[in-house]
PDB file of all heavy atoms in Angstrom:
ATOM      1  N   ARG A 240     106.056  83.766  95.822  1.00 98.00           N
ATOM      2  CA  ARG A 240     105.113  82.737  96.198  1.00 98.00           C
ATOM      3  C   ARG A 240     105.880  81.614  96.900  1.00 98.00           C
ATOM      4  O   ARG A 240     107.081  81.448  96.704  1.00 98.00           O
ATOM      5  CB  ARG A 240     104.382  82.229  94.946  1.00 98.00           C
ATOM      6  CG  ARG A 240     103.049  81.546  95.226  1.00 98.00           C
ATOM      7  CD  ARG A 240     102.395  81.109  93.931  1.00 98.00           C
ATOM      8  NE  ARG A 240     101.720  82.199  93.246  1.00 98.00           N
ATOM      9  CZ  ARG A 240     100.418  82.446  93.329  1.00 98.00           C
ATOM     10  NH1 ARG A 240      99.662  81.682  94.093  1.00 98.00           N
ATOM     11  NH2 ARG A 240      99.877  83.431  92.670  1.00 98.00           N
ATOM     12  N   ALA A 241     105.203  80.831  97.724  1.00 98.00           N
ATOM     13  CA  ALA A 241     105.857  79.870  98.604  1.00 98.00           C
ATOM     14  C   ALA A 241     106.773  78.894  97.871  1.00 98.00           C
ATOM     15  O   ALA A 241     107.819  78.496  98.402  1.00 98.00           O
ATOM     16  CB  ALA A 241     104.805  79.103  99.404  1.00 98.00           C
ATOM     17  N   GLU A 242     106.408  78.514  96.649  1.00 97.00           N
ATOM     18  CA  GLU A 242     107.230  77.527  95.958  1.00 97.00           C
ATOM     19  C   GLU A 242     108.609  78.070  95.588  1.00 97.00           C
ATOM     20  O   GLU A 242     109.499  77.319  95.180  1.00 97.00           O
ATOM     21  CB  GLU A 242     106.532  77.012  94.700  1.00 97.00           C
ATOM     22  CG  GLU A 242     106.179  78.079  93.693  1.00 97.00           C
ATOM     23  CD  GLU A 242     104.721  78.514  93.794  1.00 97.00           C
ATOM     24  OE1 GLU A 242     104.180  78.556  94.926  1.00 97.00           O
ATOM     25  OE2 GLU A 242     104.132  78.835  92.739  1.00 97.00           O
ATOM     26  N   HIS A 243     108.813  79.378  95.757  1.00 97.00           N
ATOM     27  CA  HIS A 243     110.107  79.986  95.450  1.00 97.00           C
ATOM     28  C   HIS A 243     110.928  80.298  96.695  1.00 97.00           C
ATOM     29  O   HIS A 243     112.061  80.777  96.573  1.00 97.00           O
ATOM     30  CB  HIS A 243     109.895  81.269  94.640  1.00 97.00           C
ATOM     31  CG  HIS A 243     109.197  81.040  93.337  1.00 97.00           C
ATOM     32  ND1 HIS A 243     109.767  80.343  92.291  1.00 97.00           N
ATOM     33  CD2 HIS A 243     107.942  81.383  92.921  1.00 97.00           C
ATOM     34  CE1 HIS A 243     108.908  80.286  91.288  1.00 97.00           C
ATOM     35  NE2 HIS A 243     107.798  80.896  91.639  1.00 97.00           N
ATOM     36  N   PHE A 244     110.403  80.023  97.879  1.00 97.00           N
ATOM     37  CA  PHE A 244     111.137  80.345  99.112  1.00 97.00           C
ATOM     38  C   PHE A 244     112.480  79.619  99.161  1.00 97.00           C
ATOM     39  O   PHE A 244     113.517  80.225  99.441  1.00 97.00           O
ATOM     40  CB  PHE A 244     110.316  79.972 100.353  1.00 97.00           C
ATOM     41  CG  PHE A 244     109.101  80.826 100.605  1.00 97.00           C
ATOM     42  CD1 PHE A 244     108.181  80.454 101.585  1.00 97.00           C
ATOM     43  CD2 PHE A 244     108.856  81.985  99.893  1.00 97.00           C
ATOM     44  CE1 PHE A 244     107.061  81.223 101.851  1.00 97.00           C
ATOM     45  CE2 PHE A 244     107.729  82.765 100.136  1.00 97.00           C
ATOM     46  CZ  PHE A 244     106.830  82.381 101.121  1.00 97.00           C
ATOM     47  N   ALA A 245     112.460  78.315  98.920  1.00 96.00           N
ATOM     48  CA  ALA A 245     113.692  77.524  99.046  1.00 96.00           C
ATOM     49  C   ALA A 245     114.739  77.964  98.030  1.00 96.00           C
ATOM     50  O   ALA A 245     115.921  78.121  98.364  1.00 96.00           O
ATOM     51  CB  ALA A 245     113.379  76.038  98.891  1.00 96.00           C
ATOM     52  N   GLY A 246     114.314  78.168  96.799  1.00 96.00           N
ATOM     53  CA  GLY A 246     115.263  78.588  95.772  1.00 96.00           C
ATOM     54  C   GLY A 246     115.860  79.953  96.063  1.00 96.00           C
ATOM     55  O   GLY A 246     117.061  80.172  95.880  1.00 96.00           O
ATOM     56  N   ALA A 247     115.015  80.886  96.524  1.00 96.00           N
ATOM     57  CA  ALA A 247     115.508  82.222  96.855  1.00 96.00           C
ATOM     58  C   ALA A 247     116.479  82.162  98.025  1.00 96.00           C
ATOM     59  O   ALA A 247     117.506  82.848  98.033  1.00 96.00           O
ATOM     60  CB  ALA A 247     114.334  83.143  97.175  1.00 96.00           C
ATOM     61  N   ALA A 248     116.176  81.332  99.016  1.00 95.00           N
ATOM     62  CA  ALA A 248     117.069  81.196 100.173  1.00 95.00           C
ATOM     63  C   ALA A 248     118.411  80.607  99.754  1.00 95.00           C
ATOM     64  O   ALA A 248     119.469  81.071 100.196  1.00 95.00           O
ATOM     65  CB  ALA A 248     116.409  80.335 101.239  1.00 95.00           C
ATOM     66  N   ASP A 249     118.384  79.604  98.908  1.00 93.00           N
ATOM     67  CA  ASP A 249     119.625  78.959  98.460  1.00 93.00           C
ATOM     68  C   ASP A 249     120.509  79.938  97.680  1.00 93.00           C
ATOM     69  O   ASP A 249     121.740  79.861  97.740  1.00 93.00           O
ATOM     70  CB  ASP A 249     119.320  77.746  97.587  1.00 93.00           C
ATOM     71  CG  ASP A 249     118.771  76.575  98.381  1.00 93.00           C
ATOM     72  OD1 ASP A 249     118.885  76.584  99.627  1.00 93.00           O
ATOM     73  OD2 ASP A 249     118.200  75.663  97.754  1.00 93.00           O
ATOM     74  N   ALA A 250     119.874  80.848  96.942  1.00 91.00           N
ATOM     75  CA  ALA A 250     120.628  81.782  96.104  1.00 91.00           C
ATOM     76  C   ALA A 250     121.058  83.038  96.851  1.00 91.00           C
ATOM     77  O   ALA A 250     121.829  83.836  96.319  1.00 91.00           O
ATOM     78  CB  ALA A 250     119.777  82.184  94.891  1.00 91.00           C
ATOM     79  N   ALA A 251     120.583  83.217  98.084  1.00 89.00           N
ATOM     80  CA  ALA A 251     120.869  84.435  98.850  1.00 89.00           C
ATOM     81  C   ALA A 251     122.222  84.301  99.533  1.00 89.00           C
ATOM     82  O   ALA A 251     122.369  83.573 100.511  1.00 89.00           O
ATOM     83  CB  ALA A 251     119.767  84.672  99.880  1.00 89.00           C
ATOM     84  N   THR A 252     123.223  85.003  99.013  1.00 81.00           N
ATOM     85  CA  THR A 252     124.565  84.963  99.584  1.00 81.00           C
ATOM     86  C   THR A 252     125.115  86.371  99.697  1.00 81.00           C
ATOM     87  O   THR A 252     124.757  87.253  98.905  1.00 81.00           O
ATOM     88  CB  THR A 252     125.520  84.128  98.718  1.00 81.00           C
ATOM     89  OG1 THR A 252     125.562  84.698  97.394  1.00 81.00           O
ATOM     90  CG2 THR A 252     125.061  82.684  98.620  1.00 81.00           C
ATOM     91  N   GLY A 253     125.983  86.583 100.697  1.00 74.00           N
ATOM     92  CA  GLY A 253     126.583  87.905 100.864  1.00 74.00           C
ATOM     93  C   GLY A 253     125.529  88.972 100.995  1.00 74.00           C
ATOM     94  O   GLY A 253     124.568  88.824 101.755  1.00 74.00           O
ATOM     95  N   ASP A 254     125.695  90.055 100.248  1.00 71.00           N
ATOM     96  CA  ASP A 254     124.731  91.151 100.301  1.00 71.00           C
ATOM     97  C   ASP A 254     123.656  91.030  99.233  1.00 71.00           C
ATOM     98  O   ASP A 254     122.935  91.990  98.965  1.00 71.00           O
ATOM     99  CB  ASP A 254     125.446  92.505 100.174  1.00 71.00           C
ATOM    100  CG  ASP A 254     125.869  93.047 101.526  1.00 71.00           C
ATOM    101  OD1 ASP A 254     125.134  92.824 102.510  1.00 71.00           O
ATOM    102  OD2 ASP A 254     126.933  93.669 101.611  1.00 71.00           O
ATOM    103  N   ARG A 255     123.549  89.878  98.622  1.00 73.00           N
ATOM    104  CA  ARG A 255     122.490  89.666  97.635  1.00 73.00           C
ATOM    105  C   ARG A 255     121.319  88.974  98.316  1.00 73.00           C
ATOM    106  O   ARG A 255     121.476  87.921  98.937  1.00 73.00           O
ATOM    107  CB  ARG A 255     122.998  88.795  96.473  1.00 73.00           C
ATOM    108  CG  ARG A 255     124.057  89.465  95.631  1.00 73.00           C
ATOM    109  CD  ARG A 255     124.192  88.833  94.276  1.00 73.00           C
ATOM    110  NE  ARG A 255     124.219  87.365  94.311  1.00 73.00           N
ATOM    111  CZ  ARG A 255     124.206  86.609  93.221  1.00 73.00           C
ATOM    112  NH1 ARG A 255     124.127  87.162  92.040  1.00 73.00           N
ATOM    113  NH2 ARG A 255     124.248  85.287  93.321  1.00 73.00           N
ATOM    114  N   GLY A 256     120.151  89.572  98.180  1.00 76.00           N
ATOM    115  CA  GLY A 256     118.955  88.955  98.712  1.00 76.00           C
ATOM    116  C   GLY A 256     118.379  88.017  97.668  1.00 76.00           C
ATOM    117  O   GLY A 256     118.983  87.013  97.294  1.00 76.00           O
ATOM    118  N   ALA A 257     117.198  88.371  97.152  1.00 84.00           N
ATOM    119  CA  ALA A 257     116.534  87.523  96.162  1.00 84.00           C
ATOM    120  C   ALA A 257     117.023  87.798  94.740  1.00 84.00           C
ATOM    121  O   ALA A 257     116.626  87.100  93.807  1.00 84.00           O
ATOM    122  CB  ALA A 257     115.024  87.750  96.229  1.00 84.00           C
ATOM    123  N   ARG A 258     117.902  88.782  94.587  1.00 84.00           N
ATOM    124  CA  ARG A 258     118.296  89.215  93.245  1.00 84.00           C
ATOM    125  C   ARG A 258     118.863  88.082  92.392  1.00 84.00           C
ATOM    126  O   ARG A 258     118.529  87.932  91.217  1.00 84.00           O
ATOM    127  CB  ARG A 258     119.329  90.335  93.367  1.00 84.00           C
ATOM    128  CG  ARG A 258     119.707  91.000  92.054  1.00 84.00           C
ATOM    129  CD  ARG A 258     120.866  91.953  92.259  1.00 84.00           C
ATOM    130  NE  ARG A 258     120.742  92.683  93.518  1.00 84.00           N
ATOM    131  CZ  ARG A 258     121.770  93.236  94.160  1.00 84.00           C
ATOM    132  NH1 ARG A 258     122.997  93.109  93.666  1.00 84.00           N
ATOM    133  NH2 ARG A 258     121.587  93.895  95.279  1.00 84.00           N
ATOM    134  N   GLY A 259     119.744  87.261  92.981  1.00 88.00           N
ATOM    135  CA  GLY A 259     120.353  86.189  92.209  1.00 88.00           C
ATOM    136  C   GLY A 259     119.331  85.191  91.695  1.00 88.00           C
ATOM    137  O   GLY A 259     119.416  84.742  90.551  1.00 88.00           O
ATOM    138  N   TYR A 260     118.367  84.864  92.534  1.00 93.00           N
ATOM    139  CA  TYR A 260     117.332  83.915  92.120  1.00 93.00           C
ATOM    140  C   TYR A 260     116.482  84.503  91.006  1.00 93.00           C
ATOM    141  O   TYR A 260     116.158  83.811  90.031  1.00 93.00           O
ATOM    142  CB  TYR A 260     116.466  83.550  93.327  1.00 93.00           C
ATOM    143  CG  TYR A 260     115.416  82.507  93.032  1.00 93.00           C
ATOM    144  CD1 TYR A 260     115.770  81.170  92.862  1.00 93.00           C
ATOM    145  CD2 TYR A 260     114.071  82.850  92.927  1.00 93.00           C
ATOM    146  CE1 TYR A 260     114.815  80.200  92.579  1.00 93.00           C
ATOM    147  CE2 TYR A 260     113.108  81.885  92.658  1.00 93.00           C
ATOM    148  CZ  TYR A 260     113.495  80.564  92.479  1.00 93.00           C
ATOM    149  OH  TYR A 260     112.540  79.615  92.209  1.00 93.00           O
ATOM    150  N   LEU A 261     116.131  85.775  91.119  1.00 93.00           N
ATOM    151  CA  LEU A 261     115.311  86.416  90.089  1.00 93.00           C
ATOM    152  C   LEU A 261     116.043  86.456  88.757  1.00 93.00           C
ATOM    153  O   LEU A 261     115.458  86.168  87.699  1.00 93.00           O
ATOM    154  CB  LEU A 261     114.933  87.833  90.522  1.00 93.00           C
ATOM    155  CG  LEU A 261     113.634  87.992  91.312  1.00 93.00           C
ATOM    156  CD1 LEU A 261     113.626  87.146  92.582  1.00 93.00           C
ATOM    157  CD2 LEU A 261     113.424  89.460  91.680  1.00 93.00           C
ATOM    158  N   ARG A 262     117.319  86.797  88.795  1.00 92.00           N
ATOM    159  CA  ARG A 262     118.086  86.887  87.551  1.00 92.00           C
ATOM    160  C   ARG A 262     118.271  85.524  86.905  1.00 92.00           C
ATOM    161  O   ARG A 262     118.405  85.414  85.687  1.00 92.00           O
ATOM    162  CB  ARG A 262     119.438  87.545  87.827  1.00 92.00           C
ATOM    163  CG  ARG A 262     119.311  89.031  88.112  1.00 92.00           C
ATOM    164  CD  ARG A 262     120.653  89.678  88.376  1.00 92.00           C
ATOM    165  NE  ARG A 262     120.519  91.120  88.527  1.00 92.00           N
ATOM    166  CZ  ARG A 262     121.510  91.931  88.897  1.00 92.00           C
ATOM    167  NH1 ARG A 262     122.709  91.421  89.150  1.00 92.00           N
ATOM    168  NH2 ARG A 262     121.307  93.228  89.018  1.00 92.00           N
TER     169      ARG A 262
END
Side-chain angles (χ1 to χ4, degrees):
R240 201 179 280 263
E242 58 261 35
H243 300 293
F244 290 171
D249 288 345
T252 58
D254 271 325
R255 293 200 315 173
R258 187 188 321 157
Y260 184 74
L261 270 57
R262 288 180 175 173

